[in-house]
Amino acid sequence: MSKIIPPTISIIIPVYNSAQYIYRCLRSIKVQENHDFEVIIINDGSTDNSGDICERFAQNDKRFFVYHKKNEGVSIARNYGLNKARGKWVAFVDSDDEISQSFLTIPPYLEDNDVIQKSHLRIDSNGNKIFYSVKNKTLVTHKEIGYYWVNKRTNALWDKLIKREIINNIRFIPKVEISEDFLFFTSALLNIKKYAFCDIGYYTYFIREHSAMGNFKDNRKNISITFNHLNIVRKLEVNDYMTHVGESLVYGYFILTLWRLRYELTLPEKQNLRNMITSIKFSYLDLLNWKTKAKLILIKLFFQYIQ
């Protein structure tokens, strides 16, 4: 009996009412230069004919697998896909996006990396395009990787190929559907030893009018989400390195967001923000760039002055 050889890459695609876009998404995967992949499609309770389109596609290509389940949200759908994945690498693709023909191409000299980040093209609802290119380089220390993630990251997962062994048993937090990519990847950061950037291929991300990120335009929802994610990140801290990463994210990202929205905060939220800022431990902020550190110093001085 011949041994079944797993594919090199597992592509996970949650689908919910994407009939208008899903065929183009799947077609962009089918024509990849790298043919060694599997596509795990999770139809998350769609009420349109998305599932039928996916099934017809899978009938003509044995690398595509479709699973139907009740609607429980993108995080649970991705976890379902991770449990099915067999590839050495994992890629997350959104059902209304597309990838270039060489996006799945992994040059031999990058195979020993844990993460490979590629360029991406953003197209808004008016057709305006912005291309974000990456230059070939590799980060090889925890400090380099941590500094990048704190200061220069793209929060999304879709521009990355990630070793499945790095993910291991890490899963998305159920019911979290805003910045779930950021929280998931931050959880895996401790396992990443080599982080590469590759200019071969790119991801095309379409910004739709009714995307989930619209919640960040509502200040009250933004504040609630920020406090929630801040607490989640702090619970992820498991050693000194992750404490530095976590606290740098808290102060360099979450606290500055709350400071920007300070006039929208309730009195208890303002007091919470004040307490966090006045208790800043600058020894934990070595991963922040100097501009962010300067902002935090000025904000801390402001609170000390008005006390």
Side-chain angles (χ1 to χ4, degrees):
M1 186 175 179
S2 61
K3 184 178 179 180
I4 298 176
I5 301 175
T8 299
I9 303 173
S10 294
I11 304 162
I12 297 173
I13 310 177
V15 177
Y16 179 72
N17 290 351
S18 300
Q20 185 178 352
Y21 314 109
I22 188 60
Y23 180 84
R24 290 175 60 90
C25 174
L26 298 180
R27 178 64 184 173
S28 73
I29 296 172
K30 184 180 179 68
V31 299
Q32 287 295 297
E33 294 170 355
N34 178 3
H35 299 166
D36 189 14
F37 60 79
E38 66 176 356
V39 182
I40 302 169
I41 304 166
I42 306 95
N43 179 27
D44 191 37
S46 296
T47 56
D48 62 6
N49 65 332
S50 296
D52 295 334
I53 296 171
C54 294
E55 285 287 1
R56 289 197 297 271
F57 210 97
Q59 288 173 4
N60 297 317
D61 193 320
K62 299 304 181 183
R63 296 171 299 177
F64 290 72
F65 303 89
V66 184
Y67 301 92
H68 303 274
K69 59 182 291 298
K70 67 178 182 179
N71 179 249
E72 295 178 288
V74 65
S75 293
I76 292 178
R78 281 176 166 175
N79 289 342
Y80 189 99
L82 282 170
N83 292 338
K84 297 288 185 181
R86 299 176 298 135
K88 182 178 180 180
W89 297 84
V90 172
F92 296 95
V93 174
D94 290 347
S95 60
D96 58 348
D97 293 337
E98 300 170 25
I99 57 177
S100 72
Q101 279 187 281
S102 54
F103 180 78
L104 296 182
T105 298
I106 301 175
Y109 60 87
L110 292 181
E111 289 179 351
D112 66 337
N113 283 274
D114 300 317
V115 176
I116 301 174
Q117 181 172 324
K118 301 220 172 183
S119 303
H120 71 273
L121 172 67
R122 290 179 181 248
I123 304 178
D124 67 20
S125 56
N126 295 317
N128 300 313
K129 300 179 180 180
I130 302 178
F131 189 72
Y132 297 85
S133 62
V134 300
K135 296 181 179 179
N136 295 329
K137 66 176 180 179
T138 302
L139 309 178
V140 296
T141 67
H142 266 149
K143 187 170 184 179
E144 287 180 315
I145 296 167
Y147 183 88
Y148 172 77
W149 189 241
V150 169
N151 296 284
K152 300 179 180 181
R153 70 187 177 279
T154 57
N155 282 345
L157 292 174
W158 38 246
D159 59 351
K160 302 171 181 67
L161 300 174
I162 307 170
K163 282 273 181 67
R164 190 158 61 91
E165 66 181 14
I166 294 305
I167 296 172
N168 196 11
N169 61 353
I170 294 170
R171 293 296 183 265
F172 293 87
I173 303 172
K175 307 304 181 183
V176 172
E177 298 191 10
I178 300 293
S179 291
E180 70 279 1
D181 292 13
F182 162 76
L183 295 172
F184 176 87
F185 197 82
T186 300
S187 300
L189 208 64
L190 181 63
N191 301 331
I192 300 171
K193 304 298 189 296
K194 293 186 69 176
Y195 190 122
F197 299 83
C198 175
D199 64 2
I200 299 173
Y202 61 92
Y203 187 99
T204 300
Y205 171 63
F206 291 90
I207 304 173
R208 312 293 179 184
E209 289 184 4
H210 303 293
S211 68
M213 292 305 292
N215 283 317
F216 279 107
K217 296 179 182 179
D218 181 320
N219 286 344
R220 282 308 310 167
K221 285 185 178 179
N222 193 350
I223 290 167
S224 176
I225 290 167
T226 300
F227 273 114
N228 182 42
H229 289 186
L230 184 156
N231 292 329
I232 291 172
V233 166
R234 279 191 156 163
K235 290 177 182 177
L236 295 177
E237 300 170 5
V238 294
N239 64 9
D240 190 55
Y241 167 66
M242 286 304 294
T243 297
H244 278 67
V245 171
E247 291 304 287
S248 293
L249 287 170
V250 165
Y251 290 103
Y253 181 36
F254 296 119
I255 294 298
L256 291 184
T257 298
L258 294 172
W259 173 256
R260 178 173 56 83
L261 298 171
R262 60 191 179 278
Y263 299 114
E264 304 285 338
L265 300 178
T266 65
L267 286 177
E269 289 169 345
K270 288 180 179 178
Q271 186 58 49
N272 194 351
L273 176 61
R274 176 195 294 269
N275 291 341
M276 285 189 288
I277 289 175
T278 54
S279 63
I280 292 176
K281 294 181 181 180
F282 287 103
S283 60
Y284 279 165
L285 307 184
D286 57 333
L287 294 177
L288 291 173
N289 61 47
W290 68 268
K291 288 184 179 180
T292 302
K293 287 181 181 177
K295 287 180 183 178
L296 289 171
I297 290 171
L298 291 174
I299 292 171
K300 184 167 185 174
L301 289 173
F302 170 81
F303 274 112
Q304 291 175 335
Y305 176 76
I306 65 173
Q307 283 184 335

